[in-house]
């Protein structure tokens, strides 16, 4: 038997969250304009949920966006026939051929990828997302070069190398009230007159600026790229998602493997980071940082046992944490402990206490934690 730790993945909640995004976009769309289409972002093994679960949970999405070619292959193997967007594009020549074979859409963000693309002998045209750097200075062409690259791509369209060309950018500060003003102006100034759909907007941009983006796009078809909100976690502290009806999609749980008394003043765990304030009892949970529970979770971080929140004591170890169960009666080894998710503290709450973000905790759940899904797919 494996250890009792488990990441339960709720594919119904994933589908529900996608439907909320779809509804938000519908409401934001100007009458007569196209409703934005949705790439569900499933990078990093679907934010730790398992790529196959995402294929099922996001079955209603218009496409899946990721960056690992092996994950793309797994999506196709799991039956995903709709578009797949590779967010970092090709890394090496072979990737272009894989993209052609699997029918993947490639982001093009750097001149070296243009060389890979022109050199490849593809058997069908590749759809390309041409990325503009609107200030983040991560990926994308500068505005000065953009039209030139676009022109080159149009040449490759003529030779059957390239299919659709979509204009793409990524906003660095979309969680801020005025965070997309400058980058959106630059994007529109650069791509405004060129033919082609647009792809903008992560979760933060959709939640905070969806209406504005819809107005800006007018009659242009937009493809948005939500990630974190589809997993029921917040893109930033100012944009909590549970109030908008998003549901948590991953519940990390384990069980107590020991319950024992401690006397007032006794130390707990490595370095005696905690000492028992009074005579009481502690529980040991089969979950540690090697499972992806954050080592920086401080003393007092909540977990839920039998419906009650109780605090973490001492330092998080590799395979175990210790919790204070003095206030609970009848707890015993085998009792379920919810670390985060449905029925427990939210992943955002744990992340905030540990000085990180929900994204990191979800993506960092390690391979040794079994994923259990309520998907009915065989
Ligand atoms: C990760 C990512 C997204 C999704 O971001 P969230 O904040 O998780 O919604 C969208 N676009 C790009 C290019 C990304 O890398």
């Amino acid at each position: 038997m494996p250890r009792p730790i488990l990441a339960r993945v709720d594919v119904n909640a994933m589908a529900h969250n996608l439907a909320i995004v779809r509804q938000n976009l519908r409401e934001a769309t100007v009458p007569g304009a196209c409703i934005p289409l949705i790439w569900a972002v499933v990078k990093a093994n679907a934010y730790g949920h398992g790529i196959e679960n995402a294929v099922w949970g996001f079955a209603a999405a218009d496409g899946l966006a990721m960056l690992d070619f092996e994950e793309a292959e797994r999506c196709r193997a799991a039956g995903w026939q709709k578009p797949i967007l590779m967010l970092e594009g090709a890394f090496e020549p072979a990737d272009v051929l894989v993209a052609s074979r699997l029918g993947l859409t490639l982001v093009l963000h750097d001149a070296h990828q243009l060389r890979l693309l022109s050199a490849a002998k593809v058997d069908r045209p590749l759809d390309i997302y041409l990325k503009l750097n609107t200030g983040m200075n991560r990926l994308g062409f500068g505005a000065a070069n953009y039209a030139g690259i676009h022109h080159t791509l149009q040449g490759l369209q003529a030779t059957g190398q390239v299919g659709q060309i979509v204009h793409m950018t990524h906003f660095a500060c979309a969680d801020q009230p005025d965070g997309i003003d400058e980058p959106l102006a630059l994007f529109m100034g650069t791509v405004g007159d060129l033919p082609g759909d647009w792809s903008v907007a992560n979760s933060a941009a959709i939640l905070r600026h969806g209406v504005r983006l819809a107005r800006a796009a007018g009659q242009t078809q937009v493809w948005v790229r939500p990630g974190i909100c589809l997993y029921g976690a917040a893109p930033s502290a100012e944009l909590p998602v549970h109030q908008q009806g998003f549901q948590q999609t991953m519940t990390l749980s384990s069980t107590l493997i020991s319950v024992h008394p401690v006397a007032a003043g006794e130390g707990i765990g490595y370095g005696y980071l905690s000492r028992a304030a009074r005579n009481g009892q502690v529980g040991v949970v089969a979950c540690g940082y090697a499972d992806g529970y954050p080592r920086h979770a401080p003393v007092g971080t909540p977990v839920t046992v039998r419906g009650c929140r109780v605090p973490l004591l001492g330092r998080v170890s590799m395979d175990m944490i210790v919790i204070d169960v003095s206030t609970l009666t009848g707890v015993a080894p085998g009792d379920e402990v919810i670390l985060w998710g449905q029925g427990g503290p939210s992943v955002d709450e744990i992340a905030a206490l540990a000085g990180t973000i929900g994204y990191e905790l979800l993506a960092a759940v390690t391979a040794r934690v079994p994923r259990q899904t309520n998907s009915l797919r065989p």
Side-chain angles (χ1 to χ4, degrees):
M1 288 285 282
R3 283 162 74 240
I5 190 160
L6 192 61
R8 278 197 302 269
V9 173
D10 185 344
V11 293
N12 298 329
M14 293 165 87
H16 166 89
N17 294 339
L18 178 66
I20 293 185
V21 172
R22 186 83 77 188
Q23 183 59 27
N24 284 356
L25 294 169
R26 197 172 288 135
E27 286 166 10
T29 304
V30 203
C34 309
I35 297 166
L37 298 170
I38 303 177
W39 292 107
V41 179
V42 300
K43 60 197 184 191
N45 197 26
Y47 291 52
H49 290 62
I51 203 93
E52 285 79 11
N53 296 328
V55 166
W56 189 242
F58 301 140
D62 302 295
L64 297 178
M66 63 203 73
L67 29 91
D68 186 306
F69 284 81
E70 280 177 12
E71 288 185 351
E73 185 114 49
R74 278 166 60 194
C75 288
R76 288 289 186 235
W80 184 264
Q81 294 178 348
K82 288 189 264 187
I84 292 180
L85 175 62
M86 304 308 287
L87 290 167
E88 293 180 352
F91 302 95
E92 52 170 318
D95 294 340
V96 182
L97 301 178
V98 173
S100 168
R101 175 166 58 82
L102 298 176
L104 312 180
T105 302
L106 292 179
V107 167
L108 188 95
H109 61 77
D110 188 281
H112 90 274
Q113 294 178 318
L114 194 57
R115 289 190 286 276
L116 296 182
L117 187 62
S118 353
K121 295 209 167 19
V122 297
D123 34 55
R124 56 178 146 169
L126 286 170
D127 291 338
I128 297 296
Y129 272 46
L130 179 56
K131 191 161 189 182
L132 176 69
N133 172 13
T134 48
M136 190 173 191
N137 280 316
R138 210 173 56 176
L139 298 182
F141 292 95
N145 299 326
Y146 191 86
I149 304 281
H150 186 263
H151 186 75
T152 308
L153 282 179
Q154 284 177 314
L156 291 174
Q157 254 176 340
T159 63
Q161 201 81 347
V162 165
Q164 245 200 93
I165 306 170
V166 173
H167 308 288
M168 173 190 192
T169 194
H170 193 52
F171 300 126
C173 306
D175 54 330
Q176 299 303 311
D178 56 358
I180 66 166
D181 293 359
E182 285 182 24
L184 182 61
L186 179 60
F187 181 76
M188 292 177 67
T190 309
V191 313
D193 297 332
L194 302 171
D197 296 353
W198 293 359
S199 178
V200 293
N202 56 8
S203 303
I206 295 167
L207 297 176
R208 203 190 265 280
H209 305 290
V211 173
R212 244 191 77 215
L213 288 167
R215 299 255 141 81
Q219 298 300 312
T220 305
Q221 176 69 66
V222 177
W223 292 73
V224 296
R225 305 186 305 269
I228 195 72
C229 67
L230 299 178
Y231 305 95
S236 82
E238 292 110 80
L239 294 171
V241 289
H242 57 273
Q243 292 155 357
Q244 304 193 34
F246 289 96
Q247 295 170 359
Q248 296 196 75
T249 55
M250 183 201 285
T251 301
L252 184 68
S253 67
S254 188
T255 65
L256 291 172
I257 57 171
S258 173
V259 176
H260 57 86
V262 287
E266 283 182 353
I268 292 157
Y270 286 119
Y272 296 156
L273 197 63
S274 294
R275 286 189 181 274
R278 56 192 74 83
N279 295 342
Q281 64 174 350
V282 298
V284 181
V285 187
C287 171
Y289 62 77
D291 299 301
Y293 193 81
R295 185 172 171 277
H296 296 293
V299 170
T301 300
V303 305
T304 299
V305 185
R306 298 188 172 208
C308 299
R309 282 160 68 102
V310 298
L312 176 73
L313 294 175
R315 197 165 271 158
V316 172
S317 323
M318 181 181 279
D319 311 299
M320 282 174 275
I321 58 172
V322 178
I323 59 174
D324 184 355
V325 291
S326 305
T327 55
L328 306 179
T329 47
V331 283
D335 281 1
E336 184 185 54
V337 179
I338 299 175
L339 286 319
W340 69 63
Q342 297 173 12
S346 72
V347 69
D348 289 327
E349 180 178 3
I350 303 302
L353 288 166
T356 181
I357 51 179
Y359 295 80
E360 185 180 12
L361 295 195
L362 295 174
V365 171
T366 57
R368 79 177 190 182
V369 177
R371 270 64 167 177
Q372 187 189 74
T373 154
N374 55 355
S375 159
L376 295 177
R377 174 173 276 213

